[in-house]
């Protein structure tokens, strides 16, 4: 479980610090960010890894430290699920994060955040 938590926290810190090198490493090649709304645009948005990293690089996503609270973390063989709350100075996130283990390494496969302003 510790390796899964480390992967999740690396993912979150990568976004918080706009560190795209960390995100390249920790996000699975098939990563998707699935969110309801994109700032003021309504609808479901599915953002693949390369687009997510571009949004972080351009500081559209991330760049603010967040406090992490785990609500649950479960894993079955090579798949793990975590429900976390993240809070920055301006936003609150409730996220369901899925991780997968391949070749002995845990990576983030999906993030489904619900985002609200403070």
């Amino acid at each position: 479980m510790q390796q899964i938590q480390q992967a999740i926290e690396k993912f979150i810190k990568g976004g918080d610090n706009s560190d795209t090198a960390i995100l390249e490493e920790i996000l699975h090649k098939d990563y998707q960010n699935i969110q309801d709304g994109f700032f003021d645009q309504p609808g479901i948005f599915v953002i693949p890894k390369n687009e997510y990293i571009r949004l972080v690089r351009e500081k559209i996503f991330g760049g603010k430290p967040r406090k992490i609270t785990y609500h649950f973390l479960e894993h079955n063989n090579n798949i793990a699920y975590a429900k976390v709350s993240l809070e920055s100075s301006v936003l609150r996130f409730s996220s369901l994060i899925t991780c997968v283990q391949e070749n002995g390494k845990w990576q983030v496969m999906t993030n489904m955040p619900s985002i609200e302003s403070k």
Side-chain angles (χ1 to χ4, degrees):
M1 292 290 238
Q2 184 178 1
Q3 289 178 331
I4 299 164
Q5 265 189 292
Q6 287 173 341
I8 291 168
E9 289 169 17
K10 199 172 198 180
F11 163 59
I12 293 165
K13 298 268 186 245
D16 290 357
N17 298 323
S18 302
D19 190 330
T20 57
I22 285 177
L23 294 175
E24 283 288 352
E25 175 191 337
I26 203 62
L27 298 179
H28 188 273
K29 66 181 176 56
D30 297 319
Y31 170 83
Q32 291 185 321
N33 193 78
I34 304 166
Q35 62 188 58
D36 187 4
F38 187 78
F39 299 100
D40 59 349
Q41 300 174 45
I44 301 298
F45 291 82
V46 179
I47 303 167
K49 178 179 179 175
N50 61 340
E51 177 70 5
Y52 183 84
I53 289 173
R54 182 188 68 79
L55 291 166
V56 171
R57 184 182 314 107
E58 294 177 3
K59 304 207 186 303
I60 295 167
F61 280 5
K64 295 203 180 341
R66 295 172 289 178
K67 178 181 171 250
I68 306 166
T69 303
Y70 286 87
H71 299 287
F72 72 79
L73 175 58
E74 297 178 21
H75 93 284
N76 189 359
N77 298 319
N78 294 309
I79 298 177
Y81 307 92
K83 171 101 167 134
V84 299
S85 294
L86 306 168
E87 192 166 334
S88 74
S89 58
V90 293
L91 296 172
R92 282 191 195 99
F93 299 78
S94 177
S95 285
L96 180 60
I97 299 171
T98 306
C99 297
V100 295
Q101 181 177 235
E102 289 184 329
N103 304 316
K105 180 179 173 186
W106 284 97
Q107 290 184 298
V108 176
M109 176 65 84
T110 60
N111 178 34
M112 291 186 278
S114 172
I115 307 161
E116 65 179 71
S117 296
K118 288 174 92 172

